[in-house]
């Protein structure tokens, strides 16, 4: 009986002692975990990282977006700069954005594999544009050629210093780029306009009904400078077209044909090079 009682007593108090130890161990574990959390910086860093990701994926303000955009622009700019310029800019830019810390180390890592940036010329897409124009748009029909002739009004021999072209109140075009040197009205040629294209060549357009440019104005090939007509000593609407080379009148048709040949050669060369 005494043995049985002793066994029961030991079993009962042994169980309670075990439970008491487990409770103490649990309290000690909690205390140790708190101490570890205080002493272990990695746990705090992990918590800070969670806060960082929360801030990162949380809805940003306009100010935050502007700072991030400015930072990206700065990084793109610095990537194209030399190493020396980067070292000058990085310390000044460190306060501009959260993305910049560690950027200097990044550039130092890629510096060894970075190659010089090659510059390219801009690509021009414009097609070939003719630098000449005919004085009339509907074809050239000569009604009175350059040279000596009997004047249709005075019936006497006279040098015809230009070429009469068929034109019934039509637009008149500048044949080349140039500057208007004269524009007005004369007794024989009626309304007229003169354009200097270079130190050598001057073109004249006579017997006009309307003039659209004044002396001193710049025109380009193909600009409508006037309208043909029947002003001055004329028997009907037409265009008197004249060309001077170094102050001397030359055959306008040969001049136009030379322009056409030169233009066609340029166009052919352009097409060949393009193909």
């Amino acid at each position: 009986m005494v043995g049985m009682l002793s066994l029961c007593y030991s079993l009962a108090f042994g169980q309670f002692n075990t439970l008491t130890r487990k409770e103490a161990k649990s309290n000690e574990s909690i205390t140790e975990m708190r101490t570890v959390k205080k002493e272990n910086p990695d746990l705090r860093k992990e918590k800070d990282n969670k806060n960082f990701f929360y801030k990162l994926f949380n809805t940003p303000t306009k100010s935050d977006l502007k700072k991030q955009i400015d930072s990206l622009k700065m990084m793109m700019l610095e990537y194209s700069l030399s190493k020396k310029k980067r070292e000058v800019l990085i310390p000044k830019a460190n306060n501009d954005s959260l993305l910049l810390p560690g950027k200097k180390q990044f550039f130092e890592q890629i510096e060894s594999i970075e190659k010089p940036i090659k510059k390219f010329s801009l690509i021009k897409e414009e097609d070939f544009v003719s630098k000449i124009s005919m004085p009339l748009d509907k074809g050239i029909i000569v009604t009175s050629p350059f040279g000596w002739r009997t004047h249709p009004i005075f019936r006497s021999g006279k040098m015809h210093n230009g070429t009469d072209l068929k034109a019934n109140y039509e637009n008149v075009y500048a044949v080349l780029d140039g500057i208007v040197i004269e524009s007005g009205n004369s007794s024989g040629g009626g309304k007229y306009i003169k354009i200097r294209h270079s130190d050598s060549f001057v073109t004249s357009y006579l017997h006009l009904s309307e003039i659209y440019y004044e002396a001193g104005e710049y025109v380009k090939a193909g600009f409508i400078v006037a309208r043909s007509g029947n002003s001055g000593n004329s028997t009907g609407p037409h265009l008197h077209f004249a060309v001077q080379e170094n102050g001397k009148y030359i055959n306008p048709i040969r001049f136009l044909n030379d322009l056409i040949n030169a233009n066609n050669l340029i166009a052919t060369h352009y097409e060949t090079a393009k193909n």
Side-chain angles (χ1 to χ4, degrees):
M1 292 294 291
V2 173
M4 291 293 293
L5 290 174
S6 299
L7 179 62
C8 292
Y9 177 81
S10 62
L11 289 174
F13 282 94
Q15 183 176 4
F16 289 129
N17 289 338
T18 303
L19 293 174
T20 302
R21 288 195 196 96
K22 287 184 178 179
E23 184 177 356
K25 185 178 290 187
S26 177
N27 292 333
E28 290 176 359
S29 299
I30 293 173
T31 304
E32 290 176 0
M33 288 179 67
R34 290 177 180 173
T35 304
V36 170
K37 287 182 180 180
K38 291 181 180 179
E39 296 178 355
N40 192 351
D42 293 335
L43 295 176
R44 182 178 297 276
K45 185 176 181 181
E46 182 179 355
K47 185 178 180 180
D48 292 339
N49 288 338
K50 290 181 179 180
N51 292 334
F52 170 77
F53 283 110
Y54 172 78
K55 292 179 181 179
L56 182 63
F57 292 102
N58 194 19
T59 304
T61 63
K62 291 183 178 179
S63 178
D64 294 335
L65 288 175
K66 185 177 183 301
K67 288 182 179 179
Q68 293 181 14
I69 292 173
D70 292 341
S71 301
L72 292 175
K73 289 181 179 179
M74 182 62 68
M75 291 182 69
M76 293 174 66
L77 175 62
E78 291 177 359
Y79 185 78
S80 63
L81 295 176
S82 63
K83 183 178 179 181
K84 183 176 180 180
K85 291 184 179 179
R86 289 178 193 161
E87 293 176 353
V88 174
L89 289 178
I90 287 174
K92 296 180 180 179
N94 277 337
N95 296 327
D96 292 342
S97 172
L98 297 175
L99 300 178
L100 291 176
K103 181 177 51 179
K104 186 175 181 180
Q105 290 79 359
F106 167 75
F107 284 121
E108 289 176 352
Q109 290 176 1
I110 67 170
E111 190 70 32
S112 59
I113 60 174
E114 183 180 1
K115 296 181 179 180
I117 299 175
K118 184 178 180 180
K119 294 183 179 180
F120 295 92
S121 300
L122 295 176
I123 300 173
K124 297 180 180 180
E125 297 185 34
E126 61 201 31
D127 292 329
F128 172 74
V129 178
S130 177
K131 300 299 182 182
I132 73 167
S133 175
M134 292 297 100
L136 297 171
D137 191 33
K138 295 182 179 180
I140 303 298
I141 299 177
V142 177
T143 57
S144 182
F146 173 82
W148 285 94
R149 67 167 186 173
T150 300
H151 195 279
I153 295 178
F154 302 112
R155 296 298 177 183
S156 60
K158 188 176 181 180
M159 178 65 183
H160 192 212
N161 59 17
T163 298
D164 290 343
L165 306 176
K166 183 178 180 181
N168 188 18
Y169 296 94
E170 300 173 14
N171 290 332
V172 176
Y173 302 87
V175 296
L176 294 167
D177 298 354
I179 298 176
V180 177
I181 58 174
E182 291 184 33
S183 177
N185 197 355
S186 64
S187 57
K191 294 182 178 181
Y192 74 99
I193 186 170
K194 284 187 177 183
I195 304 174
R196 177 175 293 280
H197 306 288
S198 66
D199 293 337
S200 301
F201 292 98
V202 174
T203 56
S204 303
Y205 312 79
L206 284 70
H207 303 295
L208 306 172
S209 59
E210 297 177 9
I211 304 170
Y212 302 137
Y213 287 88
E214 297 178 353
E217 293 185 303
Y218 178 76
V219 296
K220 293 185 69 66
F223 275 25
I224 300 174
V225 296
R227 190 173 183 83
S228 65
N230 191 32
S231 60
N233 296 331
S234 172
T235 58
H238 70 284
L239 172 65
H240 177 90
F241 177 66
V243 179
Q244 291 174 276
E245 181 179 9
N246 296 322
K248 181 181 178 180
Y249 286 100
I250 62 174
N251 190 333
I253 299 303
R254 293 180 181 176
F255 172 79
L256 291 178
N257 284 333
D258 289 342
L259 289 183
I260 292 171
N261 289 332
N263 181 80
N264 292 344
L265 286 174
I266 295 172
T268 302
H269 175 75
Y270 175 82
E271 289 296 332
T272 303
K274 187 175 180 181
N275 294 333

